[in-house]
Structures are given as C-alpha cells and as structure tokens.
Amino acid sequence: MAEADAAKEATAEFLKSHYRRYYATTKRILPDRFGRREFGFMFFNSSMVIRHLGFSRESELNEFLLGKVPAHAYYSSAYYEKPGAPTMEEKGWLGADLIFDLDADHLPNAKKMSYPEMLEAIRLRIIKLYDDFLKADFGFEEDKMRLVFSGGRGYHIHVFDERVWALGSHERREIVDWVTGKGLDVDTAFRESAFDKREFQGRSRVKKKVVGPAQEDPGWRGKIARGINQLVTTLEGMDHDAALAFLTSFEGVKEAAAEDLYENLFKPRTTKPRVIRGVDRLREGQIEALSDRSRDLLIRIVKDVQQIKLDEQAGVALDGIIQRGDTDEPVTSDIKRLIRLPSSLHGKTGLQVIPLTRDQVDGFRPLRDAVPPTWTEEPVPLRLANEINLEIRGEAFNLAPGVNDVPQFLAIFLAARGLATVAPEA
C-alpha cells in the first residue's frame, strides 16, 4: 500500500509540475464580465471543490494558478455583485449565462465505446443541439454563443445573450423540455382541413383531410416531419420481415397493424405512367394517402421514439428518427453553476478546455487538437497496469503492461486518466 501511495504522490507531483509550466507559458481566455464571476478549483489527490473566490484582475488569477496549481478550474455561469463573498446569499445574484452540457453520460452505449468513439459521438450531438435548437428554434446568434470542448468527455455551449441573463430555474427547465421533447404533443402538428363542401336539400356536407407538417416547418413541426420521413426511409431499406419485426418491437403494436402500415407504404397503387406507392405520396406531403390506422401508427412511433433513451430499437439505428436534443438538465436549469474555465486544463486528461466557433467544431478532434503544444516529445518512463492502444497527436501507440518510455504528451494524458503512474526511474 505504501508503494502504491508513493507512486500516486509522485504521479500527482509530475502532473502538477507540468500543469504549472502550462499556466506559466499559456495566456488565459477570460470569461465575459470577469470581475463579476465566482471561481472554484479542485486539486490533485483531493475531491473537494474550493469555491467562493473572486478575482478583480487577471494577474490575481494567474498568481493563484501558478501558486496553487489546481487540477480543475471553474467559473460561475452567474454574475454577482460580490462574487468572492463566502455565502450565496451575500453574493448578490445579478443574472446568469445559459449553459448546455453534454458528455459521455448521455450516451446509452458509452461503456462499449472507446474514449475516441465517445468524443466523436458527443461532438455530433452538440452540433445537433447548436444547429437544430439553439440557432434554429431559439434564434441565438453565433456571436452570442460559444462552443467549448470540456477537456474531458464532452462539450459545453455557453449562451451569453443578455436576454437569458434574468431567466430563473423554472424558465431554464422549460428550455430543456423543448430541447428534449418532454411533454411533446405530436398530435398538434396535424390538423384537419376542409377540401370539399356540398349542399344537398338544405344541408351542408364537408369533407376533411388530415394535413401534416412539412420538413421545412419551424420548430417541432418540422422535426416531426423529418422524423416521419426518416422512419419510412428506414423501413424502405429493410426487407418485409425485418420491417415487421422492428415495428412490432414497439409496445402495443400488433402484427396486423404493422402489416397494414407496411402495405400502405410500399404496395404499388399505380404502375403507369409511373409506380406510385403510399410512401411516395407521403413524401409529397400527402399523409392522408395512408389509411387512418396506418397514419396514426406512424405518428405514434415517431412520438414514442423521441422518449427512447437508446440509439437503437430492436437492432435498428434510430438516427434521424430521433429528433430530440440532449443536455444535462441540472446544469442548464442551474442559475449558479460552476463550469470549466476555457484555456484551463482538465485534471483527468491533461487536455485543454478549448473554446470553438461553429465552423471549427466540424473538424475538431480532441486527441489531436486539444493536446497542449506545451507538452513535448521528451521520453518519460511510465508504469502501465494494462495494455494501451491509442492514437494521440497523430501518432499511434501500442503499449504493453509494465514500464514504457513514452513521449511527455502521452505520459501526461495516461497519468491524468489514472492509466499509468510515474515509474521509479522517473
């Protein structure tokens, strides 16, 4: 046990020395209204968060980082009259940015993924949240939002539009509900429309049809239409038996109803001058071309899928059918949240917390782009408990258990993640 503790202490000191070097040579990216923010920190070999700190000048923050060398650095989403006051009541809350947080906890199959696979899956989800909800639905401008790689397993979006500053927790939870589709009433996206009216013996007879949403419609109407389109496209790419197995995997869907929907969609109705099927009419915006039973089942499945927490159903990928977004509700609804400080280091990876524009995030790859330039290729002896297969900074590594000499940039990453300790020779 003593030997293990000594290795742990030596590893923590190894990391601290390089984190100090990073903070000594790297310029800070400060949050807006810096002097109104509360700061918090966690340190190596400690699980406690030291918070209720405020800095009036950048030099004070720099002195703290170099003197204390925290493993993690945070700042508040909120603005305060007295950010360094010891209690929340004394701080004097003035408002808060709106924060969205997505990391591997939101991936249903995270345990089956490698670290790079998790990072890529979360990157795609944060783009969807940014594009389809914050920009398209809420209309936030790009210069009022900041994408941030957390340095660990996910991404944040900071919305610092002044219109959100005064929102309380309840209003922020309503934004979460919109994004996640909580309480979504799909039926409101469909309406009845009169298309024929006839008079007979003093009586009027009106024929009605159901009009569905269009894919270009704003908000959830367009999302539902796109979900329906992707659902029928998914079914179209499956053979008959597989499609029925997928449809009947939803609770309460009988085989007869699934068969009826399949025939309604894909059985040819005319062959001249061209083959026309129900799915073709549906894509033209004529959902009334389906029977009422098939239409209602299609709508119900799209609705049910929005609440499914998995990425697949009965082995079928739900990408595109799922239109809801993701965010960590406690983070987004919290008006006094601490969030990672951009340009700081993540204590469990040694990677940078990097702010990104929307264009930059498309090509961003953390294990290539978030490795600090400060870390060198100088060899460092590390003791590995298990085999390591990893690509980082463009180099592939296949390492056996035991003592290995690895480049400094890899040594810091493995040591911070708890996958290796500094060897006695170090």
Side-chain angles (χ1 to χ4, degrees), residues 277-341:
R277 306 162 299 165
V279 67
D280 302 316
R281 293 279 177 83
L282 179 66
R283 286 171 176 150
E284 294 169 354
Q286 301 177 48
I287 197 169
E288 74 279 3
L290 303 180
S291 69
D292 291 354
R293 182 187 187 190
S294 292
R295 177 199 67 212
D296 292 346
L297 178 56
L298 198 65
I299 294 170
R300 201 209 96 183
I301 290 175
V302 169
K303 179 180 180 179
D304 289 352
V305 163
Q306 306 315 313
Q307 307 306 322
I308 291 175
K309 299 305 180 184
L310 300 177
D311 290 331
E312 61 178 41
Q313 173 84 2
V316 178
L318 299 177
D319 184 42
I321 306 173
I322 294 177
Q323 290 289 315
R324 60 170 168 75
D326 294 297
T327 186
D328 189 325
E329 179 176 350
V331 172
T332 302
S333 60
D334 195 341
I335 61 173
K336 301 174 182 178
R337 195 76 179 187
L338 292 180
I339 198 74
R340 288 191 182 275
L341 177 66

Side-chain angles (χ1 to χ4, degrees), residues 107-122:
L107 297 173
N109 299 315
K111 292 182 179 179
K112 300 178 182 178
M113 295 180 176
S114 66
Y115 183 69
E117 288 172 339
M118 286 191 297
L119 291 177
E120 178 60 11
I122 287 296

Side-chain angles (χ1 to χ4, degrees), residues 135-405:
K135 188 175 179 182
D137 290 357
F138 291 103
F140 293 125
E141 300 293 335
E142 289 192 19
D143 63 355
K144 297 296 184 181
M145 293 190 286
R146 181 182 297 117
L147 279 154
V148 179
F149 170 60
S150 72
R153 303 186 304 169
Y155 292 81
H156 306 146
I157 300 176
H158 302 215
V159 180
F160 44 93
D161 189 310
E162 62 183 20
R163 293 174 297 176
V164 308
W165 291 348
L167 296 179
S169 294
H170 177 75
E171 291 87 355
R172 293 168 193 248
R173 278 194 296 271
E174 288 186 347
I175 292 174
V176 173
D177 291 348
W178 176 270
V179 168
T180 59
K182 184 178 180 180
L184 177 65
D185 186 358
V186 172
D187 295 335
T188 59
F190 299 84
R191 58 184 175 82
E192 286 189 339
S193 175
F195 71 94
D196 186 26
K197 181 178 180 180
R198 295 185 180 182
E199 300 282 347
F200 180 72
Q201 295 182 347
R203 295 183 180 181
S204 297
R205 182 181 179 184
V206 178
K207 290 185 178 181
K208 296 180 180 180
K209 65 178 180 179
V210 174
V211 178
Q215 294 188 55
E216 62 272 15
D217 283 350
W220 270 102
R221 284 181 56 84
K223 298 183 202 304
I224 292 166
R226 293 190 289 274
I228 289 174
N229 183 69
Q230 183 57 50
L231 173 56
V232 298
T233 298
T234 299
L235 291 171
E236 189 175 23
M238 306 167 71
D239 64 38
H240 172 274
D241 291 347
L244 260 59
F246 171 63
L247 291 171
T248 55
S249 70
F250 291 90
E251 184 177 357
V253 178
K254 304 296 184 182
E255 187 169 344
E259 181 71 55
D260 181 61
L261 174 57
Y262 189 86
E263 285 207 4
N264 254 251
L265 288 171
F266 304 118
K267 184 178 180 179
R269 302 183 177 189
T270 64
T271 57
K272 295 181 180 180
R274 65 185 179 95
V275 175
I276 296 179
R277 306 162 299 165
V279 67
D280 302 316
R281 293 279 177 83
L282 179 66
R283 286 171 176 150
E284 294 169 354
Q286 301 177 48
I287 197 169
E288 74 279 3
L290 303 180
S291 69
D292 291 354
R293 182 187 187 190
S294 292
R295 177 199 67 212
D296 292 346
L297 178 56
L298 198 65
I299 294 170
R300 201 209 96 183
I301 290 175
V302 169
K303 179 180 180 179
D304 289 352
V305 163
Q306 306 315 313
Q307 307 306 322
I308 291 175
K309 299 305 180 184
L310 300 177
D311 290 331
E312 61 178 41
Q313 173 84 2
V316 178
L318 299 177
D319 184 42
I321 306 173
I322 294 177
Q323 290 289 315
R324 60 170 168 75
D326 294 297
T327 186
D328 189 325
E329 179 176 350
V331 172
T332 302
S333 60
D334 195 341
I335 61 173
K336 301 174 182 178
R337 195 76 179 187
L338 292 180
I339 198 74
R340 288 191 182 275
L341 177 66
S343 75
S344 66
L345 293 173
H346 194 292
K348 292 186 177 181
T349 63
L351 300 178
Q352 290 175 292
V353 181
I354 296 185
L356 302 161
T357 65
R358 174 61 186 85
D359 289 341
Q360 288 172 332
V361 78
D362 283 332
F364 183 74
R365 299 296 180 270
L367 289 179
R368 180 192 65 200
D369 303 323
V371 181
T374 313
W375 305 159
T376 71
E377 295 190 7
E378 178 185 354
V380 176
L382 284 188
R383 184 178 300 280
L384 276 65
N386 300 297
E387 179 182 347
I388 297 292
N389 297 291
L390 179 72
E391 183 175 320
I392 182 170
R393 204 187 259 179
E395 293 186 46
F397 294 90
N398 299 290
L399 306 173
V403 177
N404 291 260
D405 283 342

Side-chain angles (χ1 to χ4, degrees), residues 46-95:
S46 174
S47 59
M48 291 184 60
V49 178
I50 306 300
R51 58 182 303 176
H52 304 303
L53 298 173
F55 302 100
S56 58
R57 296 187 301 275
E58 181 180 355
S59 60
E60 294 176 0
L61 172 61
N62 288 335
E63 288 174 10
F64 184 95
L65 292 172
L66 289 171
K68 302 293 185 180
V69 195
H72 307 270
Y74 307 92
Y75 76 98
S76 65
S77 62
Y79 311 104
Y80 299 103
E81 292 178 356
K82 300 176 182 178
T87 67
M88 302 309 295
E89 290 75 18
E90 294 175 88
K91 290 182 186 297
W93 188 84
L94 298 172

